[in-house]
Amino acid sequence: IPAERARQAPLLLKHVEPEYPTVAVSARVQGVVILAATIEPDGTVSKTRVIRSIALLDQAAIDAVRQWVYEPTKQKGPVIVTVTVNFSLQ
């Protein structure tokens, strides 16, 4: 297996959009929350950790990403990926 292939992030099968918190909409808060997500061998997200925070949006990002499902990994243990969640008001 080429090294590039071995480091490639697992394929995302189920993407759940975050629910924009009402208080964040009222405050016109938008931006990017970055999370480290732990993907188990079965493709589920077991843990998340905030890397780049926007206080009013962090929990919405975590709640959405924890529902994401990836293609089962070929690794024996969990895989950690960096996930970017964008929040923008129209």
Side-chain angles (χ1 to χ4, degrees):
I1 298 176
E4 315 81 61
R5 178 66 186 120
R7 285 193 301 266
Q8 190 173 2
L11 179 68
L12 183 61
L13 300 177
K14 178 186 175 194
H15 179 271
V16 175
E17 286 292 329
E19 288 188 35
Y20 221 118
T22 307
V23 66
V25 173
S26 299
R28 306 286 302 159
V29 174
Q30 51 189 353
V32 173
V33 175
I34 300 175
L35 305 174
T38 302
I39 304 169
E40 296 301 323
D42 67 358
T44 59
V45 176
S46 63
K47 291 187 275 191
T48 54
R49 182 174 52 84
V50 177
I51 296 172
R52 180 174 176 206
S53 174
I54 299 177
L56 291 176
L57 303 175
D58 289 352
Q59 194 59 52
I62 290 166
D63 292 345
V65 171
R66 288 214 175 152
Q67 296 176 69
W68 291 8
V69 178
Y70 288 83
E71 183 175 72
T73 67
K74 295 172 180 48
Q75 312 282 336
K76 287 188 175 144
V79 175
I80 298 174
V81 297
T82 303
V83 176
T84 302
V85 183
N86 291 301
F87 289 87
S88 63
L89 298 165
Q90 302 311 328

